[in-house]
Amino acid sequence: MAEHLPLDLPEDGKLSQNITWFARALRKAGLPVGPGRVIEAIRAVEAAGFTDRRDFYWTLHACFVSRPEHATVFAQIFRLYWRDPRYMEHMMAMLVPAVRGVQEDRPAAPAEKRAAEALLADQADRPVDPAQPQETEVEIDASATASGDEKLRALDFEQMSTAEMARARQILSQMSLPVPPVITRRLVADRRGRAPDWRRTLRGALARGGEVTEIRTRARATRWPNLVALCDISGSMSQYSRAILHFLHAVSNREGQGWARVHGFTFGTRLTNITRHLADRDVDAALQAAGREARDWEGGTRIGACLAEFNRDWSRRVLGQGAVVLLITDGLERDDPARLAAQMERLHLSCRHLIWLNPLLRWDGFAPRAQGVAAMLPHVDSFRAGHNIAALEGLAAALADPRDHGERARLMAMLS
């Protein structure tokens, strides 16, 4: 949410034109803003006035924001476009890592880099006023700073620009999550097995007049487990949730990697089953349908209540036969931590392997001080970061090695 500091409107007196350029920047940042909405915004500002900065903000917000995930981008572009006289300096600092100064004062806020990118593109498209003195054009050679996919893999999802997030989604759509098969107790006929199959051996002997010529053998049968993902879509997790849902869509639709079935659930203030939407081959259509189904995007967090609903209504249906559970959340719970711990214990006992991905683990000084984190940590098998592509690639190694517990042991030592 933008801070409502004193409003500094452009001094050229061309309010309608500036609202049009503001809408164009929103469109470049990904918001569905067409000419009709621009006309509505101009008429709304004329009707409501703009002496009160909050009225001006919410008037434009009502005209341009139609989905909860657009609110953060709108707030950042509004802050940069309408109120910050040094917004060009801030934007250049966001987009040029080599420049010292503003960028190092603080990390980029959510959607800030995306807003800066849209506004810089908007500046480049503006017609040149012949009455204005021509400014010296500065060219920045970025060839030596090009990072490529390797740097993108280490970049936090929340700090990515629009172009970087688009490339990250391409990489995520090509990733897989291989898993070893589960060895069951059932024995099946197998020439390489070590257990003798007396029934098939004697049946073969009867066909040869009672002469035993071969000892048939059996071996343990194998099957593929289910993957169940519980993804937190509250306000603090929204950017990570979208990236991880892209990853889960790729895992759901990639054949031959081992999973019997992938089940997806989102939770914030309530639990939503999005499994059937993940089965859609088109990722944009799938996530759009999932967004319509889950109406608590970027809201609050009630992890304990949502896990209680999952354990009561879905656990027996989807966690049978050794399912693996991915829990993606920052663990910032406001409800009763004792209830959260009880529901986590029940979830842990119902599945074969419980992996918790927490974006907060990207900080070197992270410690389980929050009550929700302390309540959940003892009931997971592995605790890992989930804030960038490299962290998701490391998830495959955790599944392949049952002895991999991530950072769980180190953080459990802090609790004792």
Side-chain angles (χ1 to χ4, degrees):
M1 179 64 65
E3 299 176 1
H4 294 284
L5 300 175
L7 181 63
D8 294 328
L9 290 173
E11 298 178 354
D12 52 13
K14 300 178 181 178
L15 181 60
S16 299
Q17 182 177 341
N18 281 298
I19 291 177
T20 303
W21 284 109
F22 174 67
R24 188 170 182 173
L26 294 175
R27 185 162 55 248
K28 288 183 179 298
L31 273 66
V33 177
R37 290 198 178 189
V38 177
I39 295 174
E40 290 177 358
I42 294 173
R43 290 176 178 173
V45 172
E46 289 175 350
F50 51 82
T51 54
D52 189 307
R53 57 186 179 274
R54 291 182 180 272
D55 289 345
F56 185 69
Y57 176 88
W58 288 113
T59 299
L60 295 181
H61 187 283
C63 296
F64 292 133
V65 177
S66 56
R67 297 182 61 83
E69 57 267 29
H70 299 158
T72 304
V73 177
F74 174 87
Q76 292 295 345
I77 294 181
F78 184 93
R79 180 181 66 83
L80 293 171
Y81 189 91
W82 295 105
R83 299 190 308 180
D84 191 344
R86 300 175 61 197
Y87 76 92
M88 283 297 295
E89 182 180 351
H90 285 272
M91 287 187 291
M92 290 303 296
M94 288 292 164
L95 298 180
V96 185
V99 174
R100 302 287 180 185
V102 180
Q103 185 195 18
E104 293 192 345
D105 293 340
R106 58 176 174 78
E112 192 171 20
K113 195 171 182 180
R114 183 177 169 188
E117 188 179 65
L119 282 172
L120 277 180
D122 183 63
Q123 287 288 320
D125 294 340
R126 288 196 180 203
V128 178
D129 186 355
Q132 297 292 330
Q134 297 296 319
E135 298 181 355
T136 303
E137 183 176 356
V138 178
E139 295 185 358
I140 300 175
D141 184 5
S143 59
T145 61
S147 56
D149 290 350
E150 289 302 321
K151 186 175 181 180
L152 188 64
R153 280 179 161 80
L155 190 61
D156 194 312
F157 287 130
E158 201 172 58
Q159 308 302 334
M160 289 183 179
S161 65
T162 305
E164 290 168 340
M165 181 56 76
R167 176 57 186 154
R169 287 169 181 166
Q170 291 180 355
I171 296 175
L172 291 173
S173 66
Q174 298 170 0
M175 289 173 57
S176 61
L177 191 62
V179 61
V182 178
I183 300 175
T184 67
R185 295 182 178 181
R186 189 166 63 92
L187 295 172
V188 295
D190 189 337
R191 288 181 173 276
R192 294 173 294 181
R194 296 185 176 182
D197 187 350
W198 298 118
R199 178 174 298 179
R200 293 180 61 244
T201 300
L202 294 177
R203 189 180 299 123
L206 288 175
R208 296 177 179 83
E211 182 181 1
V212 177
T213 60
E214 181 185 8
I215 302 297
R216 307 288 179 89
T217 57
R218 298 185 296 175
R220 297 284 185 186
T222 60
R223 57 173 171 74
W224 301 108
N226 290 337
L227 176 65
V228 179
L230 300 168
C231 189
D232 186 345
I233 57 171
S234 61
S236 58
M237 287 288 298
S238 60
Q239 196 69 8
Y240 302 104
S241 301
R242 291 189 182 90
I244 292 176
L245 286 177
H246 269 269
F247 174 62
L248 290 176
H249 178 269
V251 174
S252 302
N253 292 277
R254 187 175 296 277
E255 297 179 356
Q257 66 175 341
W259 297 104
R261 190 172 184 188
V262 178
H263 299 272
F265 294 84
T266 62
F267 67 91
T269 56
R270 64 180 183 179
L271 184 73
T272 305
N273 186 354
I274 60 169
T275 301
R276 63 189 178 93
H277 301 307
L278 291 177
D280 195 315
R281 302 293 295 182
D282 184 86
V283 61
D284 294 328
L287 297 188
Q288 187 176 13
R292 288 195 300 267
E293 186 84 18
R295 298 184 179 276
D296 51 345
W297 280 91
E298 298 190 1
T301 310
R302 300 179 64 228
I303 304 175
C306 293
L307 289 184
E309 183 178 350
F310 176 81
N311 289 331
R312 184 187 65 240
D313 298 337
W314 293 99
S315 176
R316 293 185 180 179
R317 303 187 199 182
V318 301
L319 292 186
Q321 300 181 339
V324 175
V325 174
L326 283 181
L327 181 61
I328 306 104
T329 179
D330 52 15
L332 301 182
E333 170 73 313
R334 295 183 178 181
D335 291 344
D336 184 10
R339 182 190 186 192
L340 175 59
Q343 295 302 326
M344 280 295 298
E345 182 180 15
R346 180 176 174 182
L347 177 64
H348 188 206
L349 294 174
S350 303
C351 65
R352 183 169 66 91
H353 201 68
L354 176 54
I355 302 175
W356 180 7
L357 299 181
N358 189 339
L360 297 180
L361 198 55
R362 66 187 185 276
W363 307 114
D364 294 335
F366 177 81
R369 296 191 180 93
Q371 290 184 341
V373 177
M376 297 170 65
L377 190 59
H379 306 291
V380 299
D381 296 304
S382 181
F383 185 56
R384 306 178 63 86
H387 62 292
N388 56 22
I389 297 174
L392 296 182
E393 289 176 334
L395 185 59
L399 289 172
D401 185 4
R403 297 169 298 179
D404 185 294
H405 303 293
E407 298 293 326
R408 182 181 182 278
R410 181 177 66 83
L411 297 175
M412 282 298 294
M414 297 182 184
L415 291 177
S416 59

